Amino acid sequence: MIASRKSYVSKMVSELKPSGIRKFFDLAAGMEGVISLGVGEPDFVTPWHVREEAIRSLEQGFTAYTPNAGLLELRQEIAQYMYNEFDVTYDAEHEIIVTVGASSAIDIAMRTILDPGDEVIVVEPCFVSYVPTVELAGGTAVTVQALQENDFKILPEQLETVTTARTKAIMICSPNNPTGTMLSKAELEGIAQYAMKHDLLIISDEIYAELAYDEDYTSFAAIEGMRERTILINGFSKGFAMTGWRLGFVCAPHDIAEAMLKVFQYQLMCASTMAQYAAIEALRNGRPEVDMMVKSYRRRRNFIVESFNDMGLSCHNPGGAFYAFPSIKSTGLSSQEFAEKLLQQEKVAVVPGDVFGESGEGHIRCSYASSLENLQEAVTRIKRFVDSLK
């Protein structure tokens, strides 16, 4: 007989909601013939020459720990890449940390900057981990809603309504997950001026920076006056089709990066050695494959956005990432109801918009990181479902 015991799980974790994305992945996994538009990862395989470099590193016996901040050779390549692509300069030795995915970088950023009671403004709709990551670090997440009528772009005057004496940072993701919205340089400058006025940090999640379709991407750190108050998050998962390698990086001013490295030393020690060697190859020689993927995503985006608008589901044109975020308000169903019924009746898996925040209600997230053939069939099924509701 097993003796009963009290629960040892913390109150914070007990009250933590599970990821709303996983729920629909799990439902879809148990069904045959499902087309999934829910997965937030490229449908492309990591290029062979990148995989080959990881194999070579194993053959050479490079299987030991790397420095906590990552291989200096990789950090030097990241520094060069950030300068060439985004016109920002970082010291490879003291201002760049290679992390276990971009999620790890966000986590150590929050743990580094937050004291109990500090507030972080989180722009919604947003990736599901942002608010919990703030809370797990002891901070308070204060959400502000980017609205559909503004193409899900946050306005500086909206930030004014939620800023307090305890506000320490603003969390921004551009191009955005789940909306695909990308902020222009002028729009970033407006937020930057606000941050400088109130002496705030910007935590800029730029994991989709390579996936920009209609205009050149502007890094937040490239905005005048913002390099010293920006924690820049990026990685190899999305642009380089390396999700399973779990490799990200953070660029930050020396004092912040040095403090983040202390947290990372105790959190995960270092990123995978073989993945780091693969990333060096990706940065040096992977641009042609990135350009090919962007060209394919742009074609798919144009198709799926036009299709949603044609069937009466209003959808803005996303400037980046690989997500469409159509409104399903015209159907009279909630986001959860729409996603559940669509999966049951037509076997198409999408993510209900409300899991990304209150302003996501009335929308669904559809990833177009899937073959054009799959997207065509998915659109046919969705249209049939929408027509059945009329």
Side-chain angles (χ1 to χ4, degrees):
M1 181 176 179
I2 301 174
S4 62
R5 61 169 176 80
K6 65 182 180 181
S7 172
Y8 292 96
V9 178
S10 75
K11 181 180 178 182
M12 178 180 291
V13 174
S14 294
E15 296 176 353
L16 198 64
K17 295 180 181 179
S19 168
I21 297 177
R22 298 310 314 177
K23 172 185 174 182
F24 282 85
F25 284 175
D26 293 342
L27 285 173
M31 300 173 64
E32 291 186 3
V34 171
I35 298 176
S36 178
L37 304 185
V39 181
E41 67 175 335
D43 60 318
F44 296 99
V45 176
T46 305
W48 168 245
H49 65 96
V50 177
R51 288 178 280 151
E52 189 174 39
E53 187 60 25
I55 294 169
R56 188 195 69 81
S57 74
L58 287 173
E59 291 175 338
Q60 295 294 314
F62 300 152
T63 58
Y65 293 132
T66 71
N68 297 128
L71 292 167
L72 179 58
E73 185 180 4
L74 174 55
R75 285 179 280 146
Q76 289 169 336
E77 289 295 333
I78 291 171
Q80 189 63 50
Y81 179 78
M82 295 303 294
Y83 177 74
N84 291 343
E85 296 290 326
F86 308 116
D87 197 29
V88 286
T89 303
Y90 286 100
D91 179 346
E93 292 193 54
H94 303 294
E95 296 183 320
I96 297 174
I97 304 170
V98 180
T99 60
V100 183
S103 294
S104 168
I106 295 169
D107 182 43
I108 63 171
M110 296 302 182
R111 294 193 200 200
T112 299
I113 68 170
L114 295 179
D115 288 313
D118 284 347
E119 295 176 352
V120 177
I121 297 173
V122 179
V123 178
E124 291 185 343
C126 67
F127 183 51
V128 294
S129 76
Y130 291 170
V131 169
T133 303
V134 172
E135 294 173 344
L136 288 169
T140 300
V142 179
T143 59
V144 59
Q145 299 182 3
L147 303 175
Q148 181 184 6
E149 51 263 38
N150 296 326
D151 287 335
F152 296 103
K153 295 182 177 183
I154 197 67
L155 304 176
E157 51 264 36
Q158 291 179 272
L159 299 173
E160 197 79 57
T161 66
V162 292
T163 301
T164 73
R166 288 185 157 185
T167 305
K168 198 164 207 176
I170 304 171
M171 182 82 200
I172 296 284
C173 179
S174 174
N176 178 268
N177 175 9
T179 66
T181 292
M182 190 172 85
L183 299 174
S184 68
K185 182 178 181 181
E187 288 159 344
L188 293 175
E189 288 173 339
I191 298 171
Q193 290 171 6
Y194 185 85
M196 288 186 280
K197 174 185 174 183
H198 293 274
D199 194 19
L200 302 176
L201 274 173
I202 295 290
I203 302 171
S204 182
D205 184 350
E206 304 186 3
I207 191 65
Y208 296 98
E210 286 75 20
L211 308 182
Y213 304 121
D214 303 316
E215 57 185 275
D216 292 338
Y217 182 78
T218 299
S219 171
F220 221 118
I223 302 296
E224 185 177 356
M226 289 307 297
R227 184 194 179 282
E228 293 306 312
R229 59 174 69 249
T230 298
I231 299 176
L232 188 158
I233 311 292
N234 205 326
F236 299 87
S237 293
K238 312 299 184 178
F240 291 92
M242 295 177 68
T243 50
W245 299 78
R246 303 314 304 130
L247 202 67
F249 62 87
V250 57
C251 302
H254 186 179
D255 60 329
I256 297 176
E258 185 177 49
M260 290 179 69
L261 185 59
K262 288 194 293 184
V263 177
F264 189 58
Q265 287 170 342
Y266 294 115
Q267 181 204 51
L268 288 167
M269 177 110 28
C270 68
S272 161
T273 301
M274 70 187 78
Q276 292 189 56
Y277 281 105
I280 292 170
E281 171 64 19
L283 289 174
R284 287 177 177 168
N285 301 304
R287 190 70 215 189
E289 286 92 351
V290 173
D291 292 341
M292 177 274 294
M293 288 186 277
V294 169
K295 183 178 180 180
S296 179
Y297 289 142
R298 183 186 290 112
R299 184 167 62 250
R300 300 177 201 181
R301 177 204 63 172
N302 293 345
F303 167 75
I304 199 167
V305 169
E306 182 179 357
S307 298
F308 279 131
N309 283 313
D310 285 348
M311 71 176 76
L313 302 184
S314 175
C315 186
H316 81 287
N317 200 39
F322 38 57
Y323 307 110
F325 203 61
S327 170
I328 50 88
K329 294 175 184 176
S330 61
T331 68
L333 299 178
S334 70
S335 295
Q336 292 281 338
E337 290 170 338
F338 187 98
E340 289 174 3
K341 290 178 182 293
L342 176 63
L343 181 60
Q344 292 165 358
Q345 295 182 29
E346 292 291 349
K347 295 186 176 182
V348 177
V350 299
V351 182
D354 66 315
V355 307
F356 304 103
E358 289 183 16
S359 55
E361 176 54 65
H363 297 79
I364 54 173
R365 189 192 79 173
C366 301
S367 170
Y368 49 86
S370 185
S371 70
L372 193 56
E373 292 74 20
N374 274 349
L375 293 177
Q376 290 168 338
E377 176 60 24
V379 163
T380 298
R381 297 184 188 186
I382 294 170
K383 185 178 187 304
R384 188 163 59 217
F385 173 70
V386 170
D387 288 344
S388 75
L389 300 173
K390 296 177 181 178

